[in-house]
Each structure stands twice: as C-alpha cells, then as structure tokens.
Amino acid sequence: TSTIGSVCSRILARKVNYLTISGRNSRQLERLSGRILRESGLAVQIAANSKIALAQADLVLIVPGSTVFVNGLEGAKKGALVCDLARPRAITPEAANRRPDVLVMEGGMVRVPGSLDFGFDYGFPPRTVSSPMAETMILALEGRSDNFTVGNSVSVEQIDEIMGLGDRHGFKLAGLHGFDRMLHFS
C-alpha cells in the first residue's frame, strides 16, 4: 500500500489475470483492492498473511519498506521471480545464493541513451541509473521543472507519461539485472 507498491499493483493489474496484495494496513489494502477492481475489473486477493502469499507467488515485487524478507528468501516459492525495487536492497547476494531455485532481479533500473559517465561510481552498471534519476533526466530534457512524482501519490497516468517521454528520448528499461550484472538466459 506504499506509493510504489500501490502504483505497481495498479499497473500489474492491467497485465495479469491474478494478483495478490499484502501489507500491514488492512484498511489501505481494502481501498487499494477496490480501486484496482474499479480501474481494471480485476478482483484482487488480499493476503492477511504475507508469508503464505510468498509461498504461493510466482512473481514477487519487493517495495521500499517491505518487511516480508527480513529472513532472506526463506519461504519463497521454488521457481519464483523476485523483483527487488528497494534501495538499499531488501535481498542480499548471500540470501540469493542460498536459494538458487529463486531468481532475484533488481528493479527500478533504466538504460540511458548515449554514453553517460558520472565521473564516479554511481552504484549501477554502466549506462544505467535509478528510475528516480531517469525521471529527473527526462524532465530536464523536456525543459520541465515541476515536482512530477514527488510525494505520496503517484498515478498510473504519471508512470505512463514518463515512460512515453523516456521512449521519445531513448531511455529504456535496463533489462533483467541481478546484483549489478545482466541476467542472460539460454
């Protein structure tokens, strides 16, 4: 029910047939579930126990502030894809190594056009930045100085708009990364 969790859930609801949401505040979960139903027609399951939901999930989004993974990946479903959007990361490389049957990827990474060099180690692979940094760069290229997604309310429409502006300027999602390296599949 956080800002990022809520908007991600609403975007996912446009693409999936089944969605479970979990969080600490049952009232906020009910509101989010109702909003998703109104917007997408998708009936969302609310998991009162996030550990049970984790054991059944094929795809898990970890958002900033999530407390589900305090013990690493214990309890995650075999074969699950876990997308860690938190910074600092919620899942450590050591925790991921203990569960080779679960694929952990980093989310919120954007590939920038051209050859960007910050002149220092930004903490991301070459030519990639965090999504908030990419948003700032895109808005600067548009000559905009408004507070686009600052605050507690980010809309799906804002995400769609910034994605469109990013496409226009050559920004792309960075692909599947896990612990600062590209994930390749055969």
Side-chain angles (χ1 to χ4, degrees):
T1 57
S2 68
T3 301
I4 300 299
S6 176
V7 78
C8 285
S9 296
R10 293 170 57 217
I11 289 170
L12 276 172
R14 300 188 302 189
K15 307 279 184 189
V16 300
N17 295 321
Y18 185 80
L19 182 65
T20 301
I21 58 175
S22 182
R24 293 181 287 259
N25 186 315
S26 60
R27 186 172 294 149
Q28 288 178 342
L29 287 168
E30 289 289 341
R31 278 197 295 265
L32 177 57
S33 174
R35 184 173 191 176
I36 291 170
L37 180 61
R38 287 189 304 277
E39 291 176 353
S40 68
L42 183 67
V44 175
Q45 179 178 344
I46 296 174
N49 185 322
S50 56
K51 289 183 180 184
I52 293 172
L54 177 63
Q56 299 171 346
D58 295 315
L59 170 65
V60 178
L61 292 182
I62 305 172
V63 296
S66 175
T67 59
V68 174
F69 290 96
V70 293
N71 294 320
L73 292 166
E74 293 174 21
K77 180 180 178 180
K78 182 177 181 174
L81 171 61
V82 176
C83 181
D84 190 349
L85 297 172
R87 288 288 182 260
R89 294 180 187 104
I91 302 297
T92 64
E94 297 78 25
N97 286 337
R98 287 192 299 272
R99 287 295 307 271
D101 60 319
V102 174
L103 179 60
V104 178
M105 64 172 275
E106 297 173 270
M109 295 174 62
V110 179
R111 180 167 290 294
V112 299
S115 56
L116 177 69
D117 182 4
F118 284 105
F120 63 91
D121 183 0
Y122 181 67
F124 282 84
R127 295 189 56 218
T128 60
V129 296
S130 66
S131 51
M133 175 65 85
E135 177 185 306
T136 301
M137 296 165 82
I138 292 165
L139 292 173
L141 288 168
E142 288 289 308
R144 291 175 58 175
S145 60
D146 51 318
N147 293 333
F148 192 71
T149 60
V150 174
N152 292 330
S153 180
V154 176
S155 71
V156 171
E157 294 77 21
Q158 286 172 299
I159 300 299
D160 290 341
E161 180 180 355
I162 203 71
M163 293 286 290
L165 294 173
D167 284 344
R168 181 166 61 199
H169 290 287
F171 288 75
K172 303 289 179 205
L173 294 177
L176 297 178
H177 282 81
F179 305 105
D180 298 326
R181 64 178 172 74
M182 268 308 263
L183 300 174
H184 300 281
F185 302 94
S186 51

